[in-house]
Amino acid sequence: MYEQMVICEGGQQVKRVITVQHCQAVHHVNKMVGGVTNWELTELGLELANNIGIALKEKIGINSGYKIYSSDLTRTKQTAEIIAKHLRITPVYCQG
């Protein structure tokens, strides 16, 4: 999880961006390159995504105005859906 605040002129915080990479997927344990292949998360990956969801809920709360953007690849959708469940928001999926 990586957090960045976007500050505009005058020092006011305009946006807060939190990025999360998808968690462990099948291609990681098979020592393969993921790229645009459509691998699923492993059991560990599902657990890690759940832990991230819990941590974010504690950090930013629910219904906090945040949005989740994710590619439509299975591993990224799985990560986004698990996190979104904790935050009670609906992910937005983008192609590729």
Side-chain angles (χ1 to χ4, degrees), residues 3 5 12 31 35 37 49 52 60 66 82 86 96:
E3 183 174 354
M5 286 188 234
Q12 290 186 321
K31 299 186 189 308
T37 57
I52 292 168
I60 65 174
Y66 279 84
I82 292 168
H86 288 283

Side-chain angles (χ1 to χ4, degrees), residues 23-39:
C23 299
Q24 185 187 69
V26 172
H27 69 278
H28 293 131
V29 296
N30 288 340
K31 299 186 189 308
M32 301 174 78
V33 175
V36 293
T37 57
N38 212 12
W39 298 101

Side-chain angles (χ1 to χ4, degrees), residues 3-33:
E3 183 174 354
Q4 175 182 1
M5 286 188 234
V6 180
I7 309 294
C8 70
E9 245 179 82
Q12 290 186 321
Q13 179 180 325
V14 217
K15 293 187 183 195
R16 188 171 171 189
V17 178
I18 300 171
T19 59
V20 176
Q21 180 179 341
H22 68 79
C23 299
Q24 185 187 69
V26 172
H27 69 278
H28 293 131
V29 296
N30 288 340
K31 299 186 189 308
M32 301 174 78
V33 175

Side-chain angles (χ1 to χ4, degrees), residues 33-50:
V33 175
V36 293
T37 57
N38 212 12
W39 298 101
E40 294 183 348
L41 294 180
T42 62
E43 286 299 316
L44 175 61
L46 294 168
E47 182 181 331
L48 293 171
N50 191 58

